[in-house]
């Protein structure tokens, strides 16, 4: 097996699962993506667009990268600690 390919595939699956979990929690807490994105990405020019770009892949099949800064904003918006 090619380790790099396997790692990339597994990390990609982890990211998809993480985003799906965040998505579910955001809807539970805020009821819609607009309220969640304003709380999490309020400093962005287009908060809803920022979350949409992370959540939904573009036409080329790739979503926007999820950075640690994004996770910090998301954890604060959902009132969930990053550490367990």
């Amino acid at each position: 097996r090619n380790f790099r390919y396997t790692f990339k595939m597994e990390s990609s699956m982890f990211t998809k699962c993480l985003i799906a979990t965040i998505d579910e929690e955001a809807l539970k807490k805020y009821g819609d993506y607009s309220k969640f994105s304003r709380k999490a990405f309020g400093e962005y020019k287009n908060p809803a667009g920022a979350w949409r770009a992370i959540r939904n892949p573009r036409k080329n099949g790739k979503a926007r990268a999820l950075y640690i800064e994004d996770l910090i904003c998301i954890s604060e918006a959902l009132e969930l600690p990053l550490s367990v």
Side-chain angles (χ1 to χ4, degrees):
R1 286 173 69 173
N2 183 329
F3 175 76
R4 287 183 184 192
Y5 175 75
T6 303
F7 178 74
K8 184 175 182 179
M9 196 169 87
E10 289 172 0
S11 67
S12 174
M13 181 58 76
F14 173 79
T15 303
K16 287 177 184 179
C17 290
L18 177 62
I19 291 171
T21 302
I22 292 167
D23 204 50
E24 189 177 306
E25 292 301 314
L27 285 179
K28 274 189 215 173
K29 185 167 179 69
Y30 291 98
D32 65 46
Y33 298 123
S34 180
K35 291 176 187 172
F36 166 69
S37 61
R38 280 195 304 271
K39 181 72 174 178
F41 303 106
E43 73 279 357
Y44 284 66
K45 185 176 180 179
N46 180 1
W51 177 239
R52 191 178 314 109
I54 292 169
R55 194 179 84 235
N56 299 331
R58 291 175 263 182
K59 290 180 183 178
N60 66 4
K62 294 185 178 183
R64 177 185 162 296
L66 185 62
Y67 300 104
I68 191 67
E69 293 87 1
D70 298 326
L71 291 174
I72 291 168
C73 293
I74 289 167
S75 72
E76 289 173 355
L78 295 177
E79 299 174 348
L80 297 171
L82 282 177
S83 61
V84 184

